[in-house]
């Protein structure tokens, strides 16, 4: 049982975001566009944790535009709430990476589930083939992906 | 032919957004979270055009939280681009409204397609039945919806 | 009298900004950080009007970081308000430019007065001497400046 | 020497902000409007630390609009930088509070100094006299103020 718990902790990537006043709107709740930004915070966190910090990826000459996002808002959040954002690789292909997100508040209430897709481009605009050009990064993402 | 053109103009709801410097990121492009905000600008525009400005809806005691969004990014945009956002009602039900969006830049290039869903709540938190409680608003949305 | 009116119109640079829902906070008013962004919108407008659109300045290899800002909030604004932002050059020196701003709402109420300062750098980081290197731009700014 | 260190820690209010990708602009640096938001983060932190969390102040029926801000940008920052924001009460009067801010990056480089002023209003719009109506809060702010 003890080993099982440790095992789980290693596999989970959770970053925290405290909702700021400037993120609320006049409905009294977090404006829905901010969740899209928190997804980016979670990716930044995840990539750093696995040793491929986004600033390093950029230094390698790779840029990674977002190609799609979706959010399902399950409950509202507001100023001073602390949101835990769990991020997981959904799948990784040669030039395409997708993540899923699960956001809960400080009381364990699910506030949002989300997904995003990303491509990889070199600075001159061509697609980067992750599998061929960055196999160690590709394999690391593969290892962490939910659908292997 | 002339009448046909006028007919088209009446049916289309297009608002314009000039990309601001503060909306770009260090990739040199518009940060993807801003498209979610432009969708809101388009809704504000649409609701005002059909005579149900969002500030009036709020005065009626209705709040309308976003329940889901999705964006597919087709091409990048950047500072000083002028984006035309076409908005259409996809469907309307008693307590649920969905929109679709089509964004093109000043050269006619498609930059983003998107969708959003909304519910209607009274200020005390209960769901509002649009069809029953605001039939004129409901019918107006129905008239403008793509799927009738 | 007629000529006098025309004269005034030529000298005034006023851009409009409609307050968006995503710019409000849970106090029910425009979040104060947005006024700093509207100042940028006014600069973008002003520079384009005088023929030195910011995107062209960047193409020339000049970047112009903001070195200081200040805002005095005189009245609140909120969603659907239309703010007129008058911008004027306060002064221009070899490598330093300052603007003043005067923002009124749709009822003519003063909501904010503000100021900003800017330097000019070449892409390799050195200061650009506007007076020497871009005399036509410098003189245009000088002409429009309140303190000549 | 040991006691001296502890003493310093008690008196300083420093909160950290990691620069997010969405806070950068196409100049490659943090957009200047974000520093205004980090000042708010520092106030949120400070007020919580002294036992008057902003969400509690709001529950008391007090709102505290920002009446002025100013920022002097000393050096640029960018994605992944960790900014330490030191906040201090500059002065407190019956219905007016002012803060000063000092922001340094992870290398100890000063990136921004700033100031803000705030008033206190009751929800019906009248000014709140902090000294008379909330003496414990007033005295706490007074104790922490640089100019006593």
């Amino acid at each position: 049982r003890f080993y099982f718990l440790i095992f789980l902790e290693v596999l989970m990537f959770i970053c925290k975001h405290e909702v700021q006043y400037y993120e609320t709107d006049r409905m009294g709740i977090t404006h829905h566009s901010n969740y899209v930004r928190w997804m980016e915070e979670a990716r930044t966190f995840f990539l750093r944790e696995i040793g491929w910090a986004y600033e390093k990826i950029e230094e390698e000459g790779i840029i990674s535009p977002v190609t799609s996002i979706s959010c399902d808002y399950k409950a509202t959040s507001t100023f001073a709430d602390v949101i835990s954002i769990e991020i997981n690789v959904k799948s990784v292909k040669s030039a395409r990476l997708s993540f899923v997100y699960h956001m809960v508040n400080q009381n364990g209430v699910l506030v949002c589930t989300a997904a995003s897709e990303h491509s990889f481009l070199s600075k001159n605009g061509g697609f980067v083939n992750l599998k061929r050009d960055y196999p160690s990064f590709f394999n690391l993402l593969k290892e962490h992906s939910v659908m292997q």
Side-chain angles (χ1 to χ4, degrees), chain A:
Chain A
R1 207 187 199 83
F2 180 67
Y3 290 104
F4 179 65
L5 281 170
I6 286 178
F7 180 65
L8 266 180
E9 217 169 281
V10 171
L11 282 185
M12 290 175 83
F13 292 90
I14 298 176
C15 89
K16 299 213 171 203
H17 178 95
E18 193 183 320
V19 182
Q20 299 300 324
Y21 206 89
Y22 60 74
E23 294 179 316
T24 61
D25 65 23
R26 78 170 190 172
M27 238 184 272
I29 60 174
T30 304
H31 191 270
H32 62 281
S33 62
N34 291 299
Y35 295 80
V36 177
R37 301 187 157 192
W38 305 346
M39 289 158 68
E40 187 177 271
E41 294 187 25
R43 291 195 298 277
T44 299
F45 168 79
F46 170 81
L47 290 171
R48 183 173 303 147
E49 285 293 303
I50 67 165
W52 282 80
Y54 194 62
E55 57 271 30
K56 299 230 168 93
I57 293 177
E58 276 194 335
E59 274 165 30
E60 289 270 351
I62 308 175
I63 56 170
S64 180
V66 177
T67 55
S68 82
I69 52 141
S70 66
C71 294
D72 285 296
Y73 304 101
K74 304 297 191 184
T76 60
S77 68
T78 193
F79 173 58
D81 281 346
V82 178
I83 309 300
S84 296
I85 308 150
E86 189 192 331
I87 179 170
N88 281 294
V89 177
K90 190 182 160 203
S91 69
V92 57
K93 285 171 191 161
S94 299
R96 204 154 284 269
L97 173 62
S98 62
F99 288 104
V100 287
Y101 310 80
H102 199 84
M103 309 184 201
V104 297
N105 70 11
Q106 66 279 10
N107 304 317
V109 175
L110 181 66
V111 292
C112 185
T113 59
S116 66
E117 287 190 357
H118 309 265
S119 63
F120 293 92
L121 303 174
S122 63
K123 280 201 172 148
N124 50 52
F127 279 97
V128 167
N129 186 325
L130 271 196
K131 195 172 182 173
R132 189 191 58 206
D133 302 335
Y134 298 89
S136 65
F137 184 29
F138 179 82
N139 289 327
L140 208 49
L141 291 170
K142 199 84 187 159
E143 259 171 52
H144 285 99
S145 70
V146 177
M147 305 177 192
Q148 302 205 346

